[in-house]
Amino acid sequence: MCRDDRIEIGFLLFDGFPMACLTSVIEPLRAANEIAGQETFCWTLLSERGQKVRSSAEVGFDAMRGLLDHGEVDILFLLSSPTSRFENSSAGNAALRSLGRHGTILGGISGGVFPLVRSGTMQGQPVSVHWCYEAAFEAEFPDFDARSEVIVRTATRYTAAGAAAGFDLALHLIQDRLGAEIAHEVACWFQHPMMRGAGVRQQVPSATQPETGDSLPPLVARCVTLFGQDMSEPVSIADVAREIGVTPRQIERAFKRATGKSPSHYYRAMRMKAARQMVMYTADPIPEIAASVGYSSAAPLVTHYRAAFGLSPAEDRRRINRFRVEGNAPLPSV
């Protein structure tokens, strides 16, 4: 247990949580304690019932306590996959709400934002959502303020988009308590090039040219933004050209030069990526997923999905279910 003048951080682990998200926060805090010569930060591993938890890499972790036996923590981070839920949702969600009411800062890293939002503790709060979960998050929580920043911090809620963002968030906690000099030294220990802060957007594969990693040209980037605004209502290349004030032919040439694909094929790939997120991380039926990415029925989605990934959405969901660890409930295949 921490002494009163220390910051105690709880990590609430669910089966299937990404192990890197845990170590990326604990390790810089450990290093800060070492550099400062004092135990400023301490931490506790929690699970719902105090049971052993397996990470997505099948590494087991022994929880120190159960959520209902948590005592007091200053900050509680949820670490999970997007599909993770409490076994007893009423008790688990009530415990989180109680912690929030009594001054604990609540947070989620990567997929941990999903059970955090499900708990009812995030109303009116912005949320950092990893780009690979955006479509699944929007499908389940369409009214939430989901942001592409790597870190989103308010006075009472902290969310981060992945393991590297968790490291950045830990550096901010170190800077807040021990100052910028120690935060910088910790970053240098781990060869972490910079501490990213509020407003820094995630790097997303579709925003770069294949093979080079360079940013897409402005015309192509504007088209991609329009493509992604509302995939349930697909737009034509002609519509996009009119909106931007260019010809469809100009868009065609720009996409070919920048991506090696036609704009229509690039757009379809975006829709397939969004569909796959929902196949993997939501329980939505396949026809609903089809509608959410702009198909009037499931049949054309299945055709394009199979062309993109080599199997149908239902087959892909069954394949993913085989890798879900115990407690990370399988999703329906139809």
Side-chain angles (χ1 to χ4, degrees), residues 191-232:
Q191 293 297 292
H192 196 74
M194 71 176 78
M195 180 172 68
R196 297 171 297 175
V200 177
R201 295 173 64 86
Q202 300 172 47
Q203 293 189 19
V204 181
S206 62
T208 59
Q209 299 182 42
E211 301 181 6
T212 69
D214 296 332
S215 297
L216 290 171
L219 173 58
V220 177
R222 289 178 67 191
C223 293
V224 169
T225 298
L226 291 173
F227 289 162
Q229 280 185 347
D230 183 2
M231 288 193 182
S232 67

Side-chain angles (χ1 to χ4, degrees), residues 272 275-276 278-280 286 289 298-322 332-334:
M272 290 304 99
R276 196 168 197 225
M278 287 180 273
V279 166
M280 295 174 68
I286 303 305
I289 294 174
L301 169 69
V302 171
T303 299
H304 292 160
Y305 197 102
R306 190 183 296 277
F309 305 117
L311 67 178
S312 72
E315 291 166 343
D316 203 10
R317 188 170 269 178
R318 285 194 293 270
R319 181 188 64 83
I320 292 297
N321 283 339
R322 289 200 298 271
S333 294
V334 294

